[in-house]
Amino acid sequence: MHVRGEPVSDQNIFVIGLDDANVPTLQRVPGAERCRFHGLLTMDELQVGEVSVAGLLEKAQEVLDNFDGSIDAIVGYWDFPVSTLIPLLSERYGTRSTNLESVVKCEHKYWSRLEQQKVITEHPRFGRVDLDSEDPKPPEGVRFPMWLKPALSYSSELAFGVKNEEEFRAAVAEIREGISRVGRPFEYILDQLELPPEMEGVGGQVCLAEEAISGIQVAVEGYVHNGEVTVYGTLDSINYPDSSSFLRHQYPSALPEPVVRRLRDVSERVMRQIGMDSATFSIEYFYDPQTDEINLLEINPRHSQSHAELFEYVDGVPNHHCMLSLALGEDPALPDGAGPYERAAKWYFRWFADGVVHSVPTQQEIDRIEQEIPGVQLHMVPEEGQRLSRMPEQDSYSFELAQIFTGGDSEEDMREKYDRCVGALSHVLTATAPGNEAEQNAG
């Protein structure tokens, strides 16, 4: 699928899982006029049902083998299987990418913890849960409250916070039921690697238990270029009150500069240990201001496409620039503070119960809201008639109705814009709870 018009450019960029929302963002990257972007594999092929990595590779290779032109870069900004397809295809077609092992060391949560503990202490106590046991128990030394999660999952799917043995058993039952959807195809990837002794027999369908950590959630974005680790941004992640679901991501972080420097140092040590190169990364942390402790939550072997607008609002360039530049062997550095706003945020407008969506705003209604409120972009998540619990990539406790991007000169400015957007959406977005005939406002 060609998403740029004439004239034909001199660099062909294949984007695995290219989606409509990111097309205009990619086209705003500096130098994009020299590029022609091609979609490679659809989001349905990549995420719906149980994924076959071998099947996806075959489909992608058929497209690339039949392409009449140069293949200058193969990129992507999604988690598994996109993150692992990139190095496999790049090796075959001679494009730039980090190696497969470095990606899997990030994606496989248990292997990632084993690597982290070799160079840092800033992580929670963790261990494996024996899903084959008739009566699984928490790992020795890991205390309640804790989180249970598969070694690999989409967007916190099958991740459960548990406070006692009863909740532990219920979470294990759900994870057992659903772990194979992603875990089984992940084992295909593990088979491509020579695993270290500590990973022998672990596989892709493993459940990890980690002691719960708390504080301010922070995301660190960066890249590795010619072996040098660069952190280009730190963002705060703020949850809804009394919930583990995100309310907003905010850039730049409001944490004190000494804490930001420590986050940068931990990130650099971990990424050097992982062995990544020619690639972007995003690492999630918790910082507890009461104890001054930092704890690493997880490493993502890709930049966050959901933060692209935030960097564009503040730095003037979407963070897709780093991904594309690395793939083309060019300077991946972002300008600092060259955007129109001091701060930016991505807000998640959510419902915390199942429901059926009866109406969503038209594009004309969305355009009107964006025109009336400067520095705002809206992305609707559900489709009309959709059952919220059937939407893909939702966490275990809530459902996204809309993603609202705001740029402003202060946090108060951004919050006022968000509240105005929610108020405007309340007139055009409606849903009902299952079995409830009376239509009610989604807000």
Side-chain angles (χ1 to χ4, degrees), residues 232-251:
Y232 60 75
T234 306
L235 307 89
D236 295 330
S237 299
I238 298 157
N239 290 347
Y240 278 82
D242 302 317
S243 169
S244 60
S245 299
F246 288 131
L247 170 62
R248 72 180 184 271
H249 302 298
Q250 185 168 301
Y251 176 65

Side-chain angles (χ1 to χ4, degrees), residues 14 40 57-69 71 89 92-93:
F14 285 84
L40 184 62
L57 280 171
E58 185 176 343
K59 286 182 180 180
Q61 289 169 7
E62 183 178 359
V63 172
L64 294 169
D65 289 343
N66 291 325
F67 180 69
D68 184 18
I71 300 171
L89 292 170
R92 179 181 175 94
Y93 294 97

Side-chain angles (χ1 to χ4, degrees), residues 27-80:
Q27 292 174 338
R28 294 195 300 270
V29 169
E33 68 278 358
R34 298 181 287 111
C35 300
R36 194 177 188 190
F37 296 108
H38 310 268
L40 184 62
L41 302 174
T42 67
M43 294 305 296
D44 281 350
E45 289 173 322
L46 290 162
Q47 293 187 345
V48 175
E50 186 168 317
V51 171
S52 166
V53 177
L56 290 172
L57 280 171
E58 185 176 343
K59 286 182 180 180
Q61 289 169 7
E62 183 178 359
V63 172
L64 294 169
D65 289 343
N66 291 325
F67 180 69
D68 184 18
S70 62
I71 300 171
D72 299 294
I74 300 171
V75 299
Y77 36 73
W78 304 109
D79 293 322
F80 180 84

Side-chain angles (χ1 to χ4, degrees), residues 36-219:
R36 194 177 188 190
F37 296 108
H38 310 268
L40 184 62
L41 302 174
T42 67
M43 294 305 296
D44 281 350
E45 289 173 322
L46 290 162
Q47 293 187 345
V48 175
E50 186 168 317
V51 171
S52 166
V53 177
L56 290 172
L57 280 171
E58 185 176 343
K59 286 182 180 180
Q61 289 169 7
E62 183 178 359
V63 172
L64 294 169
D65 289 343
N66 291 325
F67 180 69
D68 184 18
S70 62
I71 300 171
D72 299 294
I74 300 171
V75 299
Y77 36 73
W78 304 109
D79 293 322
F80 180 84
V82 173
S83 56
T84 50
L85 290 171
I86 292 168
L88 289 169
L89 292 170
S90 292
E91 183 178 12
R92 179 181 175 94
Y93 294 97
T95 57
R96 292 179 181 83
S97 166
T98 192
N99 62 58
L100 179 63
E101 181 175 301
S102 67
V103 170
V104 179
K105 283 181 178 179
C106 297
E107 290 274 26
H108 195 292
K109 291 181 173 62
Y110 181 67
W111 195 359
S112 186
R113 288 296 190 207
L114 296 179
E115 291 298 308
Q116 292 164 35
Q117 69 179 2
K118 294 176 182 177
V119 291
I120 65 169
T121 58
E122 292 87 350
H123 59 78
R125 282 185 283 266
F126 68 95
R128 292 165 55 193
V129 176
D130 184 3
L131 295 180
D132 294 328
S133 170
E134 290 186 8
D135 185 22
K137 299 291 185 184
E140 185 176 350
V142 180
R143 302 169 300 189
F144 292 110
M146 67 181 67
W147 278 88
L148 298 186
K149 58 189 75 171
L152 186 72
S153 64
Y154 293 134
S155 301
S156 299
E157 183 180 304
L158 294 179
F160 298 95
V162 299
K163 300 186 293 292
N164 52 48
E165 291 279 359
E166 182 179 358
E167 292 182 357
F168 178 90
R169 287 192 294 271
V172 166
E174 289 206 45
I175 292 171
R176 274 174 167 166
E177 183 71 22
I179 195 170
S180 65
R181 186 176 84 84
V182 179
R184 189 177 293 126
F186 195 31
E187 289 177 345
Y188 173 88
I189 294 295
L190 292 173
D191 289 342
Q192 313 303 308
L193 301 172
E194 185 175 339
L195 298 174
E198 63 265 32
M199 282 296 293
E200 287 183 8
V202 173
Q205 300 185 63
V206 60
C207 177
L208 185 68
E210 300 179 340
E211 284 191 8
I213 49 181
S214 61
I216 300 168
Q217 195 162 349
V218 192

Side-chain angles (χ1 to χ4, degrees), residues 246-302:
F246 288 131
L247 170 62
R248 72 180 184 271
H249 302 298
Q250 185 168 301
Y251 176 65
S253 171
L255 290 175
E257 181 57 31
V259 178
V260 174
R261 285 199 301 268
R262 287 167 57 200
L263 289 165
R264 184 183 301 119
D265 172 67
V266 172
S267 301
E268 290 172 355
R269 280 187 280 150
V270 167
M271 296 316 295
R272 282 194 293 267
Q273 174 65 27
I274 293 291
M276 178 175 281
D277 201 4
S278 299
T280 56
F281 63 84
S282 176
I283 308 179
E284 297 175 37
Y285 291 92
F286 276 99
Y287 170 68
D288 189 337
Q290 302 300 318
T291 63
D292 198 37
E293 285 187 348
I294 289 170
N295 272 294
L296 192 156
L297 180 61
E298 66 180 25
I299 307 171
N300 302 302
R302 43 86 186 151

